[in-house]
Amino acid sequence: MDIKLKTLNKSINIEDSKLKVASLLILFLSMSICFESLFNLAFSFHNIYEYSPIARYIFFGNVIHLDNRSILSIEVIVTIVSLAISIGCIVVYNITKKSNIKIFDSFINLTSNVSIEVFLFIIGFIFLIRFHTWSSTPDFFDNSLIVCDFLILTTTYIAYKSFKLSSDNLLSRLVVLSMIKDFLDKQNKKTINNKIASILVISIIIQFIIIFLFLSVINYFSIFTIIYAMLFSLFSIIPYSYIYKLLTKKTKYIEYISKNIKTIENGDLSHKLKVIGNDEISSIASSINNISLGLEKSLNEQLKSEKMKTELITNVSHDLKTPLTSIVSYIDILKNNELDSKTAKDYINILDKKATRLKDLVEDIFEASKISSGDIEINLKKTDIKELLIQSIVELEDKIESSKLDFIIDTPDYPVFTNIDGKRMFRVFENLITNITKYSLANTRVYIDINVKDDYIFITMKNISNHRLNISSDELLERFVRGDVSRNTSGNGLGLSICSNLVDLQDGSLKLDIDGDLFKVILKFKIY
């Protein structure tokens, strides 16, 4: 027998999925025919020796007239043939069972989450159709019965494969069991699942009472009235349980959100909720994620602000203390010593420089404070920014000449208009050019260009730094942060921050680009 199976195995392609499907369908059909033939043999031939004719017999779609003996021989032949075909199909199926049927497997996967009650509902419904067909059609009219048997076997096979492939056990797929369990669970009376289960169970009881009263009105009260009412109510448990399963999916998701909100509430703002589905509940989960993201961002900004305040106090204290100490020292020397006029004049010039530096620092702090609070007036109007830039360079000509830097200016031959505040923009140019004269490497070139592209004006200033720039462009735009981390220069770290804020207030943008010792500032405005 083993040798025959091996030979048959070689002759049939094991991976032939079409053969597997065909053998499976023919098996169900032949089993259905065999069952109906056996049923006829067992129950339809009580008087086989009588020659009473049968009015009709349906055979392969044709209605023919036969007597009992003729029908008996046909039924025996049909039983034997269908049984043989069934055995053959079982052998073929066992040989080809390892082959994959993509469409069929996909369908089985779709049913892997279907509850047992749904399959029972479908099978029970087909049984009811079969019973009605059997009770309302003549003997030996088996075509409709065979179709019902075929559907019952197919549904049962799909249910079996679904339960076999599923990782859940059978009890977990009994929704009625979980619904009754939640209903009887007194400890969880406040949960949503318990309330839903209670509502459905009460609905079934009310339904039983209504059906019982309705049947009692139509017919006189009898034991069958109670039985029919119970059967209808039990049958309705299946759709009720499936409704319960669909609702519990959402309630479990709500419980998941409620549980994880506690994690966020306890301070873990980086914790994210899973967004499942596309309804109001998933929208709530998405909104919670956005809120936690906003809170985390706000907290980081607050921490950064606190850090900046601390640095602000430290830096302001240092920058104010240095010129004040010098002023106090030189005043003390002038008061307590008799100095010649030349020395006294030199000390007075030093005091003047220190006082000017102190004045500039206080003004910068005051202006930065006004910009931060929004208490600053901006008067935007059409302005030739090219002319304003050239005017700024001319105003600072003394500083440029004393810096020993070679300024190379490249601007268009025509006016370049934009919507800015001329006074505030002049301050921006003044700060930027002053920074270039302070922090550029001596005897190097400085490039200042104006370009118009795609309805935007780009002003670029490039210079070689005198000090190593070991700081990012974003940090350099913060207040009291300087490229000269050793603090040997006279700057206070407010210039670039003020420039950036003033440009933003004029609907422009200021960008820094640091490449080694090359320092580049790019201003961008929309052309008027």
Side-chain angles (χ1 to χ4, degrees):
M1 184 66 181
D2 292 338
I3 296 172
K4 289 182 178 179
L5 285 175
K6 288 179 181 178
T7 305
L8 187 60
N9 191 20
K10 289 181 181 178
S11 63
I12 298 175
N13 185 5
I14 296 177
E15 300 299 323
D16 193 351
S17 59
K18 294 180 180 179
L19 186 60
K20 179 181 177 180
V21 174
S23 64
L24 198 61
L25 296 177
I26 295 171
L27 174 63
F28 293 156
L29 182 60
S30 60
M31 287 178 65
S32 302
I33 295 172
C34 184
F35 173 79
E36 294 302 333
S37 299
L38 286 172
F39 186 88
N40 288 334
L41 288 172
F43 299 103
S44 298
F45 296 98
H46 304 295
N47 302 309
I48 60 172
Y49 296 107
E50 294 184 5
Y51 287 90
S52 57
I54 303 298
R56 290 176 298 174
Y57 175 76
I58 188 164
F59 186 69
F60 294 117
N62 297 318
V63 178
I64 58 178
H65 298 271
L66 295 170
D67 56 26
N68 276 354
R69 283 187 176 276
S70 300
I71 293 175
L72 176 61
S73 60
I74 291 172
E75 291 291 343
V76 171
I77 294 171
V78 171
T79 301
I80 294 171
V81 172
S82 61
L83 184 61
I85 293 172
S86 299
I87 294 171
C89 289
I90 291 172
V91 173
V92 174
Y93 177 77
N94 284 329
I95 294 172
T96 59
K97 65 181 180 181
K98 292 184 179 179
S99 61
N100 296 321
I101 310 171
K102 292 183 179 180
I103 298 176
F104 185 72
D105 291 342
S106 300
F107 179 73
I108 293 296
N109 289 330
L110 287 175
T111 62
S112 60
N113 294 322
V114 177
S115 63
I116 296 176
E117 289 86 353
V118 175
F119 287 112
L120 292 176
F121 179 86
I122 295 171
I123 294 171
F125 184 74
I126 299 172
F127 263 113
L128 287 176
I129 294 174
R130 186 190 181 284
F131 178 77
H132 175 74
T133 304
W134 176 77
S135 61
S136 60
T137 55
D139 291 339
F140 308 111
F141 276 65
D142 301 329
N143 284 9
S144 299
L145 298 176
I146 291 170
V147 172
C148 291
D149 294 340
F150 177 82
L151 293 176
I152 290 170
L153 288 172
T154 304
T155 307
T156 305
Y157 176 79
I158 292 171
Y160 164 74
K161 294 293 289 185
S162 175
F163 298 142
K164 186 178 179 181
L165 294 175
S166 177
S167 58
D168 301 330
N169 55 45
L170 289 177
L171 291 178
S172 65
R173 295 181 68 171
L174 275 169
V175 186
V176 173
L177 189 65
S178 60
M179 184 176 72
I180 295 173
K181 183 180 176 182
D182 285 342
F183 173 71
L184 298 175
D185 192 356
K186 296 180 180 179
Q187 296 179 351
N188 295 324
K189 283 293 182 182
K190 294 183 179 179
T191 62
I192 299 176
N193 284 355
N194 184 270
K195 292 178 180 179
I196 294 173
S198 301
I199 291 170
L200 292 178
V201 170
I202 292 170
S203 300
I204 293 169
I205 295 171
I206 294 172
Q207 177 182 285
F208 167 77
I209 296 171
I210 292 173
I211 294 173
F212 172 74
L213 294 174
F214 179 75
L215 292 176
S216 299
V217 171
I218 295 175
N219 301 311
Y220 290 107
F221 172 76
S222 66
I223 191 65
F224 292 104
T225 306
I226 299 176
I227 293 173
Y228 290 148
M230 289 180 64
L231 286 174
F232 277 115
S233 299
L234 289 173
F235 196 67
S236 66
I237 288 177
I238 295 175
Y240 275 124
S241 61
Y242 196 68
I243 293 170
Y244 175 77
K245 182 180 180 180
L246 294 175
L247 292 175
T248 50
K249 284 184 179 179
K250 291 301 177 183
T251 57
K252 286 178 181 178
Y253 187 38
I254 293 171
E255 289 173 2
Y256 163 79
I257 293 174
S258 176
K259 181 180 177 181
N260 284 268
I261 283 177
K262 296 292 182 183
T263 305
I264 299 173
E265 184 182 359
N266 291 332
D268 187 4
L269 298 178
S270 61
H271 185 75
K272 301 297 179 188
L273 299 176
K274 295 179 181 178
V275 180
I276 303 173
N278 186 21
D279 52 22
E280 292 84 353
I281 300 175
S282 59
S283 177
I284 290 171
S286 179
S287 298
I288 291 171
N289 286 339
N290 293 334
I291 290 172
S292 61
L293 184 65
L295 287 173
E296 185 178 11
K297 184 178 178 181
S298 176
L299 182 60
N300 290 335
E301 289 179 354
Q302 187 176 356
L303 292 173
K304 184 179 179 182
S305 177
E306 292 296 328
K307 182 182 176 182
M308 287 182 64
K309 286 179 182 178
T310 304
E311 292 178 352
L312 174 70
I313 295 170
T314 303
N315 291 327
V316 168
S317 300
H318 181 276
D319 288 333
L320 289 175
K321 184 179 178 182
T322 302
L324 277 175
T325 302
S326 299
I327 290 171
V328 171
S329 299
Y330 282 108
I331 289 175
D332 186 61
I333 292 172
L334 289 170
K335 283 171 62 179
N336 299 320
N337 295 279
E338 293 184 3
L339 304 174
D340 59 89
S341 59
K342 183 177 180 303
T343 303
K345 188 176 180 180
D346 290 339
Y347 284 177
I348 291 171
N349 289 334
I350 293 172
L351 284 171
D352 181 60
K353 289 180 181 179
K354 297 295 181 182
T356 302
R357 182 182 174 187
L358 188 62
K359 173 177 171 289
D360 292 340
L361 177 60
V362 171
E363 287 178 351
D364 284 344
I365 293 172
F366 181 66
E367 185 166 10
S369 175
K370 286 201 302 181
I371 293 173
S372 295
S373 63
D375 185 21
I376 184 170
E377 187 178 352
I378 298 292
N379 298 313
L380 300 178
K381 62 180 180 179
K382 181 180 178 182
T383 305
D384 185 354
I385 197 168
K386 184 195 81 169
E387 188 65 30
L388 185 64
L389 175 62
I390 294 173
Q391 183 183 347
S392 304
I393 295 171
V394 172
E395 290 283 341
L396 298 168
E397 189 174 358
D398 293 339
K399 288 185 178 181
I400 293 172
E401 288 181 358
S402 62
S403 66
K404 298 180 181 179
L405 297 171
D406 184 11
F407 274 70
I408 299 174
I409 315 297
D410 185 13
T411 61
D413 297 332
Y414 51 85
V416 182
F417 292 101
T418 185
N419 201 33
I420 56 173
D421 185 327
K423 180 181 177 182
R424 304 297 178 185
M425 202 61 219
F426 183 85
R427 174 70 191 276
V428 171
F429 288 145
E430 184 182 31
N431 278 2
L432 293 176
I433 295 170
T434 301
N435 280 349
I436 289 173
T437 59
K438 284 182 180 179
Y439 304 120
S440 294
L441 184 65
N443 301 313
T444 57
R445 294 185 182 89
V446 176
Y447 294 90
I448 299 178
D449 304 325
I450 296 181
N451 293 304
V452 178
K453 183 180 179 182
D454 297 332
D455 296 330
Y456 285 96
I457 303 164
F458 296 91
I459 302 174
T460 308
M461 299 183 182
K462 294 180 284 188
N463 66 287
I464 303 298
S465 176
N466 192 27
H467 299 277
R468 184 181 177 185
L469 297 172
N470 54 356
I471 188 171
S472 69
S473 57
D474 291 336
E475 290 176 311
L476 202 54
L477 284 172
E478 294 178 1
R479 293 175 192 170
F480 291 98
V481 176
R482 296 192 289 192
D484 174 22
V485 294
S486 62
R487 305 179 68 88
N488 292 323
T489 55
S490 59
N492 53 44
L494 283 171
L496 286 175
S497 174
I498 291 173
C499 288
S500 177
N501 290 328
L502 287 175
V503 170
D504 289 340
L505 290 172
Q506 297 174 82
D507 299 326
S509 66
L510 186 149
K511 180 183 176 183
L512 300 184
D513 188 7
I514 300 173
D515 185 5
D517 292 335
L518 177 63
F519 185 84
K520 182 162 64 172
V521 180
I522 303 171
L523 299 170
K524 179 182 176 182
F525 293 95
K526 190 169 181 63
I527 197 167
Y528 190 84

